[in-house]
Amino acid sequence: MGKTSSSGLRITLAIAWKDILDSLKNRVMIGIIVGVATLMVGAFAMRMLVGLSNQPRIVFAGRPGRELVRELRGETDLSIYALENRSALETELGQSSAPALGVLLPGELPQAGGPGGSIELEGFYPYWIKDEVLKESFASLETQLSALWGLEVTIEYAGHAVYPTLESSGQMVIITTGLVNALFIIGIYMTPGLIQEEKQTGTFSTLLVSPARMIHIATGKSLAGLTYCLAAGAIFCLMAAPLIVHWPVMVLAIVVGSAFAVVLGLVIGTFSEEPATMNMWLG
């Protein structure tokens, strides 16, 4: 039993390794890497353009936000905006892929040149911004608001990270959709091609009369297809690393999503006798 299992494993790995080596020789793997990188460049375009500056944009939330923006625009070179309430602020920061900070304002703005004192404001930020950027940016904003109002301004932002929600849109959705498209296109379209190639060259029948069984062929082709998908996932993780916090969840999602796409592509490729039929089912 153990010898049979070991032999089956060697046959499976040999089939997978043959396809992987062929993909390297035919530059298929290079095509996958370049294709996914190009797809993700499109998804990250806005982030890369806006993120060229290390200075985050500032978003104020609350009724007096527009008034404060008018006052600050003449005093600073910061990129500043105003929103109506906390909910809008969290939505904006949650879907932001460019550096941004949020501040929740009180009902009334302190008057410039008023009596000395202090005021504490709530600060918010996208979950992926680094601590050193947060500390420096909020400290700079505290200084500018203190000078504007003549008060000691403190912005409390600890524990106020904002995450995307299922209702979020914008660049974060475009980026994650790019990953899903890459995995499914590669898994569903390339895995059947591994089967069809064997059928067209006549080697599929040869494999079936060899010591390799159908389970070995299917598993070997699946491993090759999974390798293609994981290569695409690795390129995505490399480009999206600053946005990823929960790495175990991300890796699990890529592996499970890739496995689903590969198995679906394998079923279509196995039961499709002609490329035209396969393309119809893939479509």
Side-chain angles (χ1 to χ4, degrees):
M1 177 70 74
K3 187 175 181 180
T4 302
S5 300
S6 176
S7 176
L9 178 61
R10 286 198 300 270
I11 293 172
T12 299
L13 294 178
I15 294 173
W17 186 240
K18 168 189 169 295
D19 287 326
I20 293 172
L21 284 180
D22 286 344
S23 71
L24 293 174
K25 292 178 182 178
N26 300 329
R27 296 182 175 84
V28 173
M29 191 68 76
I30 296 176
I32 290 174
I33 293 173
V34 172
V36 173
T38 303
L39 178 65
M40 296 316 301
V41 163
F44 280 95
M46 184 62 68
R47 172 179 168 79
M48 290 187 292
L49 289 173
V50 180
L52 291 176
S53 171
N54 291 324
Q55 189 177 62
R57 59 194 178 95
I58 309 298
V59 183
F60 294 106
R63 187 173 56 83
R66 298 185 188 279
E67 178 186 346
L68 179 58
V69 167
R70 286 195 297 268
E71 294 179 4
L72 280 176
R73 278 181 176 166
E75 304 289 337
T76 180
D77 58 352
L78 292 175
S79 177
I80 50 180
Y81 303 88
L83 295 173
E84 294 300 323
N85 50 48
R86 176 171 176 167
S87 177
L89 173 66
E90 293 181 345
T91 300
E92 175 70 16
L93 296 181
Q95 64 189 21
S96 175
S97 60
L101 303 177
V103 177
L104 186 62
L105 298 173
E108 296 290 340
L109 291 180
Q111 295 300 312
S118 63
I119 183 173
E120 182 175 296
L121 304 175
E122 284 188 276
F124 300 85
Y125 57 93
Y127 70 94
W128 48 267
I129 293 185
K130 296 180 179 179
D131 290 340
E132 54 268 26
V133 175
L134 286 177
K135 185 176 181 180
E136 180 180 348
S137 300
F138 273 122
S140 176
L141 185 58
E142 287 174 345
T143 300
Q144 295 191 48
L145 292 178
S146 296
L148 179 66
W149 293 334
L151 299 172
E152 181 183 350
V153 177
T154 303
I155 302 177
E156 179 56 48
Y157 60 88
H160 290 173
V162 180
Y163 291 83
T165 65
L166 292 176
E167 293 76 25
S168 297
S169 59
Q171 287 298 306
M172 299 300 291
V173 172
I174 295 175
I175 290 170
T176 51
T177 301
L179 171 63
V180 173
N181 288 338
L183 294 183
F184 273 72
I185 289 172
I186 292 170
I188 293 179
Y189 278 85
M190 294 195 65
T191 307
L194 299 175
I195 300 290
Q196 286 298 317
E197 182 181 3
E198 301 285 1
K199 291 182 178 180
Q200 291 175 4
T201 57
T203 55
F204 191 75
S205 300
T206 304
L207 284 173
L208 291 177
V209 297
S210 71
R213 298 181 180 180
M214 190 62 194
I215 184 64
H216 300 144
I217 298 173
T219 305
K221 299 297 182 182
S222 298
L223 290 176
L226 189 61
T227 300
Y228 300 158
C229 289
L230 293 181
I235 296 299
F236 171 86
C237 289
L238 184 64
M239 299 181 69
L243 299 176
I244 301 173
V245 173
H246 304 291
W247 280 96
V249 177
M250 173 59 72
V251 172
L252 180 62
I254 290 176
V255 172
V256 173
S258 298
F260 175 78
V262 166
V263 169
L264 188 58
L266 185 68
V267 170
I268 294 174
T270 301
F271 291 98
S272 300
E273 297 299 329
E274 300 292 336
T277 306
M278 182 187 73
N279 290 332
M280 180 187 71
W281 281 108
L282 289 176

